[in-house]
Amino acid sequence: MRKSLLLTSAALIAVAAGPAFGQVSGRGAEVSEVVVTAAPYVVSLDSVTTSVDVLNRDDLDAAPAGGLGEALGDLPGVRSSFFGPGSSRPVIRGLAGPRVLVLTNGVGMVDASALSPDHQVAVDPQEARRIEVLRGPAALAYGGSAIGGVVNVIDDRISETTVDGVEGRVLGAISSADTGEMASGALKAGVGPWVFSLDAMRRQTEDYDVPVPAESRRQLAADGEPFLGRQASTVENTAVTLDSYGAGLSYVGQRGFLGLSVKQTESRYGVPGHAHEHGHDDHDDDDDHDHDHDHDEDHGDDEGVRINLKQTRYDLRGGLDLALGPFERLRFSGGYADYEHVEIEDGAPATRFASEGWEGRLELVQAERNGWQGAVGLQALTRDLVAEGEEAYVPPVEINEAGIFTLQRLDRGAWGVEGGLRVDRRTLETAAAKAEFDNVSASLGAFMRPAEGWYAGVSLSRTARAPTEAELFADGPHIATRTFELGDASLKSEISYGLDATLHYDGGPWDIDLHAFAVRYEGFIDLRPTGDEDHESDLPIFAYRQTDAEFWGGEAEVAYRLWQDGDRSFTLEGAADYVRGDTDLGAPARIPPWSATGRAIFATSWWTGKLELRQVGEQTRVAEGELPTDGYRMLNASLVVRPTDGFKVFVEGRNLNDAEAREHVSFLKDLAPLPGRSFRMGVGYTF
C-alpha cells in the first residue's frame, strides 16, 4: 500500500508538470536565507525559533577534510564522534547515535551508521550543495530519531529549476598530516525542460600523524604502563579510500518538477583503537584491549580491522503547484537504498551488516494567508537490518514506521506564533519478538521583533522517541565500544520536554545569535555497566536502562565588523557552547566540555584571510568507567585567493601549534587523538 502511494504521487506530479516551472520556483536573494529543513513552507534563517546553521559550498570547501562529523564538529553545540577518519557522526548538544538524525535531501540514510560509532555515514560532505544543522528536537517533521537534532545533507542531483546550458564545479586538494588527496566535481546540463546531472568524488588518505603517543597518559596509567614523553607518532590503521558517484535526471515544468537520481558509494577504511597489539601481549586481557583490532600491514602478519562499505541509492523527488482547498503545493521525496558493509579481520570477512529499505515523505503546503503558513505531511519507512558473523550483537530486524504531522506558523511581522503535532507508530520485529510504539509529539512557540534587526523566540516541545533495535534486542559483544551489550525488550518510549530560547540581532556592524535550552527526559535510555563480565569474551557487560535525565546549556555566535572600506573589511567573530547532562544514575557518558572560538577575518574582492583560535575545556565530570579528558587550544589559519571569477586557490593550516587534542565524545579519545599539525592546499573552479 505504501509503495502504491509513492508511485501514485509521482505519477500525478509527472502528469501535471508543464514547461516553465524553473522560472517561477526560484525566490531570488531569499534562497540563501531559507532553511529547507525547518519546515515544508518558507522560513528564513533569521526567523527560526531554534538553533540552526547552514553550510554552503564555500564553507564545505574550507571544512576539515573527512567525514560528516569532522566537517561539522567546529560548529557551536556540535562535536564529532570521531572513530578515526573513516567514521564520524555529528554529536549535537551531547546527544549522539539514534538521537541525531542524518538525512539526505530530507529522507533517511537507510544505512547502519546510527547503530555503532565505527560505522561510516553513507554520504560525504563533498557531495553536498549545502548542509543544514538543526539543534534541538525536530521530531515533528522527521520522527523520534530527530529528538536531539537533524543534519540534512542537500545535494543537487535532482534539479528543481531549469539550467541554461552547462554549469558545474570542480575541486581538488591535498593534505599533509594524512598524505591525503581529494577530488570532487559536479556537472549540470539543461536542454529545454530537461536537466541532467553528474557528480563524483574521491578521497584517499594514509595513516595520520599526531604530536604525541596515540595512547593518552591516563590510559597508560590505567594500564599500569609508563608515559615515555611527548613523542610524535602515527595512529595506525586509519587509512581511508572513499569513492562516490551519482547521476540525476529532472523534468522541470510550469507547474512542477519531477526527478530521479542514483548514487553509488564505496568506502574502505581502517578501524583504529589499540596501542598494545605489538609487543605488549601481557595486557591483552584488559577491557580496552580485548578485541584484536591490530594495526595495518606494516606491523607483522596480522592486519588491522578494516571495513568495506557499499551502498546503492535511488531517490525520487517532485513538486507540484496546485489549487486543492487550502493547499497550493504538493511536495514528494522518497529514497531506496541497498547498503552493506563487511568487517575484515586478519584479511578475512568476520562480520557483515546489511540494511535495505525505503523512506518516503508527502507534504501538502498551505497557501500563505495574512502571514499564516502551514503544511500537513505523511512519512513512512521500512527497513530490514541484518547482522551476521562473529560480532553480530543484534538479531535481524524489520523496522516499519508511519507518521502524520502538521506544522503551522502565523507571522504578523512584529510578533508570531507557531506549533505542530505529530502522531506516529514504529514497529520493530525479529524472529523471536515484536515491539510496537505509538508516539505523540507536539510543540508550541512564540516570537517577536521588538525593534529593527531584533528577533526573540521561545518554543516548548514534547517529543517521543521509540527505542532502537540495539536498545531492545542487543545481546552480544560490541567490539567498537568494548562492551558486551544487553538490550531490554520491555523498554518504553523515551519522552523529552524541552524549552528553547533564541535571541538574534543583525544591525550595523553587529550580528549576534544566542540560544539557550533545557530538556527534561522521562525514560531516558542509557547504556550502563552491570558490574559483571561476559566470560566468553571477557568484556564488561553493559545493559540498556531507563532513567530520568536533564540536559541544559547554550550556544552563542557573535560577529563584529570592525572596519570596512568599499569591498575590503576586517571582522572579528566569536562562538561558544556549553552543555551539561545529569541522570538519576549519574553523569551520562561522553558529554562534551565547553568550547570557545575566536576568529579574525580580513576580506577583499579577490582574497580572504582567516586566523582562528579554538579553546576546548577539560572534562572531568565523567560516567562510571570513563576517563577524564584534558582541554586543548588549537590555532588554525587559512587564505583563499580568487584571481578570476569562479576560480579560487586556497591554503589552510590546522592545529598549527601541534596540540594534543582529544575529542571527549569519541569512544577512541584515549587511543586516537585528533590529527597534529596539518596543511591543506587546493584549487576550485565554478562555472
Side-chain angles (χ1 to χ4, degrees):
M1 178 177 177
R2 292 174 185 162
K3 290 183 179 179
S4 298
L5 174 64
L6 302 183
L7 294 173
T8 301
S9 303
L12 288 172
I13 296 171
V15 169
F21 177 79
Q23 298 174 7
V24 298
S25 65
R27 297 184 180 270
E30 291 184 0
V31 171
S32 63
E33 301 174 358
V34 172
V35 184
V36 177
T37 316
Y41 45 82
V42 175
V43 181
S44 63
L45 183 60
D46 60 359
S47 297
V48 180
T49 55
T50 55
S51 182
V52 179
D53 266 308
V54 177
L55 280 71
N56 58 30
R57 270 310 315 175
D58 284 339
D59 299 322
L60 295 171
D61 289 347
L68 191 60
E70 291 168 273
L72 306 177
D74 289 343
L75 295 176
V78 184
R79 296 288 199 278
S80 169
S81 63
F82 193 69
F83 213 90
S87 176
S88 65
R89 276 178 63 94
V91 178
I92 298 180
R93 292 179 171 177
L95 301 175
R99 296 187 181 94
V100 173
L101 184 60
V102 178
L103 305 172
T104 178
N105 302 299
V107 292
M109 294 300 307
V110 197
D111 61 10
S113 63
L115 188 63
S116 178
D118 64 329
H119 295 180
Q120 187 180 72
V121 182
V123 67
D124 191 87
Q126 281 300 316
E127 300 175 37
R129 173 171 56 89
R130 60 191 268 157
I131 298 178
E132 298 183 350
V133 181
L134 278 65
R135 305 169 187 83
L140 294 181
Y142 299 102
S145 295
I147 197 170
V150 170
V151 174
N152 192 6
V153 181
I154 302 168
D155 62 46
D156 212 14
R157 293 189 184 96
I158 297 176
S159 181
E160 300 183 18
T161 59
T162 56
V163 174
D164 184 13
V166 178
E167 61 184 44
R169 61 173 177 84
V170 291
L171 180 74
I174 58 175
S175 52
S176 63
D178 55 6
T179 319
E181 301 174 354
M182 186 279 295
S184 68
L187 182 72
K188 292 171 67 176
V191 180
W194 295 96
V195 182
F196 180 71
S197 67
L198 285 172
D199 67 275
M201 66 86 55
R202 180 178 177 85
R203 175 162 56 93
Q204 183 169 342
T205 65
E206 303 297 334
D207 295 349
Y208 70 89
D209 297 331
V210 290
V212 294
E215 204 160 10
S216 71
R217 294 174 176 85
R218 287 190 173 94
Q219 186 65 61
L220 289 168
D223 294 338
E225 299 214 6
F227 176 66
L228 301 179
R230 181 183 169 99
Q231 300 175 354
S233 64
T234 298
V235 182
E236 298 173 348
N237 197 29
T238 55
V240 178
T241 300
L242 186 148
D243 296 285
S244 175
Y245 40 93
L249 179 65
S250 301
Y251 180 82
V252 183
Q254 185 176 12
R255 294 182 57 199
F257 76 97
L258 179 67
L260 178 68
S261 70
V262 60
K263 186 192 77 166
Q264 182 78 23
T265 301
E266 297 179 2
S267 180
R268 285 85 52 205
Y269 63 95
V271 180
H274 294 269
H276 292 315
E277 293 85 354
H278 307 282
H280 297 284
D281 294 338
D282 53 327
H283 288 282
D284 283 347
D285 292 332
D286 290 344
D287 289 345
D288 282 335
H289 309 286
D290 289 290
H291 187 61
D292 195 17
H293 278 205
D294 294 328
H295 295 325
D296 222 342
E297 294 84 355
D298 295 336
H299 296 267
D301 296 331
D302 292 335
E303 297 179 359
V305 172
R306 300 191 63 81
I307 290 180
N308 291 349
L309 179 155
K310 184 175 182 179
Q311 185 189 62
T312 303
R313 181 183 177 98
Y314 302 91
D315 281 276
L316 177 69
R317 293 207 312 277
L320 172 66
D321 290 342
L322 48 75
L324 181 63
F327 303 108
E328 69 169 0
R329 189 164 65 254
L330 170 70
R331 292 177 45 174
F332 167 83
S333 59
Y336 165 83
D338 186 4
Y339 166 97
E340 178 185 71
H341 87 237
V342 179
E343 299 181 1
I344 310 296
E345 298 187 40
D346 299 331
T351 307
R352 171 181 173 268
F353 288 86
S355 178
E356 182 180 8
W358 60 267
E359 180 174 341
R361 298 173 60 81
L362 186 67
E363 299 165 338
L364 285 167
V365 184
Q366 299 163 205
E368 182 178 352
R369 290 181 173 86
N370 298 321
W372 180 18
Q373 298 174 282
V376 297
L378 302 171
Q379 178 193 9
L381 69 87
T382 183
R383 183 165 72 98
D384 292 314
L385 176 70
V386 177
E388 303 171 324
E390 298 177 3
E391 300 172 15
Y393 68 100
V394 291
V397 59
E398 180 182 344
I399 304 166
N400 292 281
E401 182 177 312
I404 182 170
F405 63 90
T406 182
L407 299 170
Q408 302 292 323
R409 178 183 175 101
L410 177 64
D411 190 342
R412 291 297 196 189
W415 61 274
V417 294
E418 62 182 15
L421 179 68
R422 179 185 175 102
V423 179
D424 59 45
R425 164 168 285 194
R426 188 175 181 90
T427 303
L428 301 94
E429 186 172 5
T430 71
K434 182 178 181 179
E436 292 183 337
F437 302 91
D438 294 315
N439 291 324
V440 177
S441 300
S443 71
L444 180 64
F447 55 89
M448 61 184 299
R449 300 179 180 91
E452 181 69 25
W454 287 94
Y455 177 90
V458 62
S459 64
L460 300 170
S461 63
R462 179 203 189 266
T463 308
R465 180 183 74 89
T468 67
E469 57 273 20
E471 293 166 340
L472 291 167
F473 307 125
D475 186 6
H478 187 186
I479 304 305
T481 61
R482 297 168 182 82
T483 61
F484 188 99
E485 290 189 13
L486 286 178
D488 183 351
S490 67
L491 292 176
K492 307 299 182 183
S493 289
E494 181 180 87
I495 309 296
S496 74
Y497 299 90
L499 169 67
D500 271 81
T502 294
L503 180 65
H504 175 71
Y505 175 71
D506 184 5
W510 289 98
D511 191 345
I512 302 172
D513 264 307
L514 305 176
H515 303 275
F517 66 91
V519 187
R520 170 73 178 176
Y521 288 89
E522 293 181 358
F524 184 80
I525 301 173
D526 205 4
L527 187 62
R528 290 285 175 168
T530 65
D532 297 324
E533 186 177 275
D534 176 62
H535 297 297
E536 183 175 344
S537 64
D538 295 328
L539 290 173
I541 298 176
F542 278 59
Y544 286 100
R545 299 176 59 185
Q546 287 197 287
T547 181
D548 290 338
E550 294 180 350
F551 283 70
W552 59 271
E555 301 97 30
E557 295 180 88
V558 179
Y560 178 69
R561 191 170 60 254
L562 190 63
W563 169 79
Q564 184 168 13
D565 180 14
D567 57 12
R568 297 180 299 167
S569 65
F570 182 65
T571 303
L572 299 178
E573 295 182 351
D577 61 32
Y578 177 80
V579 60
R580 180 184 174 99
D582 289 291
T583 78
D584 289 350
L585 301 176
R590 291 171 298 283
I591 296 299
W594 63 268
S595 76
T597 303
R599 189 178 300 112
I601 304 172
F602 189 89
T604 74
S605 60
W606 66 277
W607 68 272
T608 301
K610 297 182 182 180
L611 182 65
E612 177 184 273
L613 183 64
R614 178 172 173 81
Q615 176 70 52
V616 176
E618 65 177 358
Q619 182 58 282
T620 58
R621 190 173 178 274
V622 296
E624 181 180 353
E626 183 184 19
L627 294 176
T629 306
D630 293 333
Y632 63 86
R633 183 178 295 117
M634 188 177 290
L635 181 65
N636 307 315
S638 67
L639 176 65
V640 180
V641 180
R642 297 172 292 273
T644 61
D645 187 32
F647 183 72
K648 67 179 177 183
V649 179
F650 62 89
V651 59
E652 176 192 33
R654 293 190 65 85
N655 197 2
L656 293 174
N657 52 322
D658 216 17
E660 177 182 0
R662 298 183 184 271
E663 184 59 80
H664 184 77
V665 303
S666 169
F667 278 93
L668 296 184
K669 69 183 182 70
D670 290 298
L671 302 173
L674 300 180
R677 183 186 297 115
S678 181
F679 294 95
R680 181 168 171 258
M681 295 180 291
V683 177
Y685 182 60
T686 301
F687 56 93

